[in-house]
Amino acid sequence: GEQISISLLAMALGETGCPAISLTGWQAGFHTDRAYTRARIKNLDTERIESELSKNRVVVVAGFQGLNRYDDITTLGRGGSDTSAVAIAAALHADLCQIYTDVDGVYSADPRIVPTAKKLDEITYDEMLELASMGAQVLMNRSVEMAKKYRVNLEVVSSFHRVPGTIIKEDTKMEKLLITGVARDKDVARIALTGIVDRPGQAYKIFSRLAQKKINVDLIIQSIGHEDVKDISFTVTKENLQPAIQTLEENKEYIGFTDIKTDENIVKVSVVGAGVASNAGVASKVFEALYDANINIHMISTSEIKISVLLDAVDGDRAMRVIHDKFDFTM
């Protein structure tokens, strides 16, 4: 699909009198590791791209692909096209990398769920990274990570409307919004281990075994020990639920627990913003909004720029709306 698209676009540009050339990922100099279908970019040799640009040609590059050290073609996986664009911008020291998509910018929440969502003029890398990792699908977090690492200014703009988009950069306005946005992640499953022997090293035993299987863990809660046992609950992606259960069952005797309970009918709602840590009362507003709406919270996680709550899946959309309505998104 990428290769057909770049060829057609180069042909279309040529017919309008604009010299253009299409390059596959490997022709453009993308070198990756060997993780097929989810390869990471190791380096980008821009010699061919710069040579074509010096001839005043528009260079149309197929993202999402590259070559590994054995000259085998690899693909980058989810977010690969956006990541390729950022990589080129970084390698060429571009002033701006524009990502054209089906929305006209980054919103304070998904406008399909929250009608009062506001388009943001700008947002920091860290805030965008949190929103992307918490379920916002405007940009994939891999592209934002690379933009932050190489200080590439990003702009999310609409493919259909000529309107200003959202700039993603290191610093934004001096007077920041209290929070930047509310995101929802439905790709969440909860695992609870009960009757764990209450002694040092139990958490290490659990999460080291999961790490060996490349299973990422998100929210974690450990109960206070009672009668020499305790419980630990944590979340994984739904894709990793069964592999996690299998890994834990295989190590049941080593870890020392009595039972595994799981729940896939849940959702994670997150509030993101630089004001979360620096302003008193942000958490209180979030919990007040959920209390007023009679929405029960299962788990809570906080960081300097986010508050995440785990809720029943049926409450996800409503939670986004009531939380969003608690905050002012106008400057």
Side-chain angles (χ1 to χ4, degrees):
E2 296 272 349
Q3 291 172 209
I4 293 171
S5 298
I6 62 172
S7 301
L8 291 173
L9 178 55
M11 291 164 62
L13 289 169
E15 289 179 359
T16 66
C18 179
I21 186 170
S22 60
L23 300 178
T24 62
W26 51 95
Q27 287 175 317
F30 280 92
H31 298 280
T32 74
D33 61 19
R34 297 179 61 194
Y36 299 101
T37 74
R38 58 181 188 279
R40 310 286 290 191
I41 300 169
K42 297 181 69 175
N43 62 72
L44 174 58
D45 182 355
T46 60
E47 181 180 357
R48 177 70 186 278
I49 295 177
E50 293 185 87
S51 173
E52 299 297 344
L53 289 173
S54 68
K55 298 171 186 175
N56 293 319
R57 291 176 177 169
V58 172
V59 183
V60 186
V61 179
F64 194 73
Q65 56 185 227
L67 282 186
N68 66 19
R69 60 185 295 186
Y70 300 107
D71 290 336
D72 294 329
I73 297 171
T74 58
T75 52
L76 307 185
R78 292 187 65 194
S81 295
D82 289 352
T83 305
S84 300
V86 175
I88 293 173
L92 296 177
H93 305 289
D95 296 325
L96 181 66
C97 176
Q98 292 179 309
I99 304 293
Y100 283 81
T101 182
D102 58 352
V103 295
D104 54 2
V106 179
Y107 280 75
S108 56
D110 188 334
R112 295 169 298 182
I113 300 172
V114 183
T116 56
K118 302 288 194 303
K119 190 179 82 172
L120 306 172
D121 294 330
E122 52 186 32
I123 185 174
T124 67
Y125 294 125
D126 288 336
E127 290 169 330
M128 187 67 241
L129 192 56
E130 288 289 355
L131 285 174
S133 63
M134 293 298 126
Q137 298 177 349
V138 179
L139 282 176
M140 293 302 296
N141 55 354
R142 284 177 64 184
S143 62
V144 183
E145 287 173 358
M146 183 170 289
K148 174 179 170 62
K149 180 177 180 180
Y150 295 101
R151 295 295 187 266
V152 175
N153 287 336
L154 285 176
E155 183 180 17
V156 178
V157 289
S158 171
S159 299
F160 308 106
H161 308 289
R162 290 186 174 273
V163 295
T166 300
I167 297 289
I168 302 153
K169 56 185 182 178
E170 181 64 23
D171 295 307
T172 59
K173 296 172 182 176
M174 187 174 297
E175 290 295 329
K176 300 180 187 295
L177 294 169
L178 195 61
I179 70 167
T180 303
V182 183
R184 178 200 61 185
D185 185 2
K186 296 190 292 184
D187 186 20
V188 184
R190 180 177 59 181
I191 297 175
L193 299 182
T194 61
I196 301 171
V197 179
D198 189 8
R199 59 173 177 248
Q202 295 302 86
Y204 166 73
K205 289 182 178 181
I206 295 167
F207 300 116
S208 64
R209 287 296 188 267
L210 294 174
Q212 288 173 7
K213 299 294 184 179
K214 308 297 183 185
I215 297 172
N216 290 328
V217 173
D218 189 14
L219 308 185
I220 302 172
I221 289 181
Q222 177 175 297
S223 68
I224 298 174
H226 179 66
E227 296 182 353
D228 296 326
V229 295
K230 60 188 175 183
D231 302 335
I232 293 181
S233 298
F234 55 92
T235 61
V236 296
T237 63
K238 290 181 178 178
E239 179 185 15
N240 282 329
L241 178 59
Q242 290 307 316
I245 293 172
Q246 181 178 344
T247 300
L248 294 167
E249 289 285 8
E250 290 172 352
N251 292 276
K252 185 173 184 178
E253 185 176 341
Y254 168 72
I255 297 170
F257 63 89
T258 58
D259 194 19
I260 298 179
K261 298 179 180 179
T262 65
D263 187 0
E264 294 183 75
N265 194 31
I266 55 175
V267 64
K268 180 171 65 177
V269 174
S270 301
V271 173
V272 175
V276 169
S278 58
N279 290 272
V282 174
S284 176
K285 280 190 173 185
V286 172
F287 301 140
E288 180 185 14
L290 296 174
Y291 168 74
D292 289 343
N294 196 31
I295 296 174
N296 188 39
I297 301 172
H298 298 304
M299 298 174 73
I300 302 169
S301 173
T302 64
S303 74
E304 288 189 352
I305 64 170
K306 83 167 187 299
I307 299 169
S308 295
V309 291
L310 203 66
L311 315 169
D312 291 330
V314 69
D315 293 324
D317 290 0
R318 190 161 57 99
M320 286 185 69
R321 288 190 286 268
V322 298
I323 292 173
H324 190 276
D325 289 345
K326 275 288 182 182
F327 295 91
D328 181 12
F329 290 90
T330 59
M331 290 296 292

